[in-house]
Amino acid sequence: SQQGEEDPQALSIQEGENATMNCSYKTSINNLQWYRQNSGRGLVHLILIRSNEREKHSGRLRVTLDTSKKSSSLLITASRAADTASYFCATDARYGNKLVFGAGTILRVKS
Amino acid sequence: GAVVSQHPSWVICKSGTSVKIECRSLDFQATTMFWYRQFPKQSLMLMATSNEGSKATYEQGVEKDKFLINHASLTLSTLTVTSAHPEDSSFYICSGWGLAPNEQFFGPGTRLTVL
């Protein structure tokens, strides 16, 4: 399969709660990126973490990367209704610029 | 970040017709452009990779004679869905990658509906 796996497939939380999404991948990588996609729209780049980094923050986002387990997590703190979207991780192979996307997590934040 | 545009943003066509989708990098030179397809509630699947001036490389299972890709310049790639059928209805997204910036930027997508 081209894709990695993400869990959960769907997540429903109340506004103000934290949301955690996980992503696993299969091959060695240069970088791992997280994207957001609102329904029927294009991708919005959220954050990139390099293979030699373990944790990265950007505003309310916190990304971790464990290359030994080939996994990453995205934490959104103090969620808002506007965070409702699908979230995808994407990895690029050690050589080349192709991105392989995870299956995605559908996040719904209820106000 | 750099901008990639797609045209049209949506298209409805009859079965058997061909549809062309344009992908343009507006403020950078895209040495490589990628075409993805996304079915409802699914993730993006890479269809093909095209480098400016050379033939596209298709992923396994993607028919190169059905999905014609042209990357004639550093700012324009086109995807032509030939003899489209209802099962080709999908969201098609392109992205461009260039040396400067060394990053991949995504277009807003084109929704194709084949009746």
Side-chain angles (χ1 to χ4, degrees):
Chain A
S1 170
Q2 183 185 92
Q3 294 183 326
E5 298 178 359
E6 286 182 64
D7 75 87
Q9 290 185 333
L11 181 60
S12 183
I13 59 174
Q14 289 292 134
E15 204 166 29
E17 293 180 340
N18 296 341
T20 300
M21 289 159 267
N22 302 297
C23 162
S24 62
Y25 56 92
K26 299 179 180 178
T27 62
S28 295
I29 62 170
N30 280 326
N31 308 304
L32 184 144
Q33 303 180 68
W34 285 90
Y35 291 85
R36 184 184 74 223
Q37 184 182 36
N38 290 82
S39 182
R41 309 294 289 273
L43 296 177
V44 174
H45 184 260
L46 296 177
I47 196 166
L48 179 151
I49 186 166
R50 301 190 190 286
S51 60
N52 61 355
E53 296 176 310
R54 291 297 166 257
E55 188 171 314
K56 202 162 182 180
H57 297 252
S58 177
R60 292 184 295 114
L61 306 180
R62 172 177 168 253
V63 169
T64 63
L65 179 65
D66 186 336
T67 52
S68 66
K69 295 181 180 178
K70 292 187 170 56
S71 68
S72 173
S73 69
L74 170 67
L75 168 67
I76 304 173
T77 60
S79 64
R80 305 166 182 168
D83 294 330
T84 294
S86 293
Y87 291 82
F88 298 95
C89 68
T91 55
D92 60 351
R94 245 262 182 237
Y95 303 103
N97 300 303
K98 290 199 301 187
L99 290 180
V100 176
F101 282 83
T105 294
I106 299 171
L107 174 65
R108 181 181 170 216
V109 182
K110 296 177 282 187
S111 56
Chain B
V3 178
V4 173
S5 70
Q6 281 185 241
H7 178 81
S9 56
W10 60 270
V11 56
I12 301 173
C13 69
K14 292 182 179 180
S15 187
T17 60
S18 294
V19 174
K20 181 185 283 189
I21 302 170
E22 291 186 349
C23 176
R24 292 182 186 273
S25 58
L26 300 185
D27 49 5
F28 72 102
Q29 293 188 324
T31 310
T32 305
M33 284 186 168
F34 302 90
W35 286 94
Y36 298 84
R37 180 168 53 183
Q38 184 181 30
F39 291 108
K41 299 191 188 304
Q42 294 188 23
S43 187
L44 282 74
M45 294 293 290
L46 180 65
M47 298 174 67
T49 303
S50 75
N51 293 299
E52 185 262 339
S54 60
K55 289 184 178 180
T57 302
Y58 291 81
E59 295 298 305
Q60 195 171 10
V62 178
E63 300 173 58
K64 62 180 182 180
D65 294 329
K66 182 170 182 62
F67 299 99
L68 302 179
I69 292 172
N70 184 284
H71 190 168
S73 77
L74 287 171
T75 59
L76 174 64
S77 176
T78 59
L79 167 68
T80 301
V81 184
T82 62
S83 186
H85 291 282
E87 57 266 30
D88 299 322
S89 298
S90 188
F91 195 52
Y92 291 87
I93 302 175
C94 72
S95 69
W97 175 87
L99 290 174
N102 183 6
E103 195 174 329
Q104 194 171 146
F105 297 94
F106 285 83
T110 296
R111 170 105 23 224
L112 170 63
T113 302
V114 184
L115 303 176

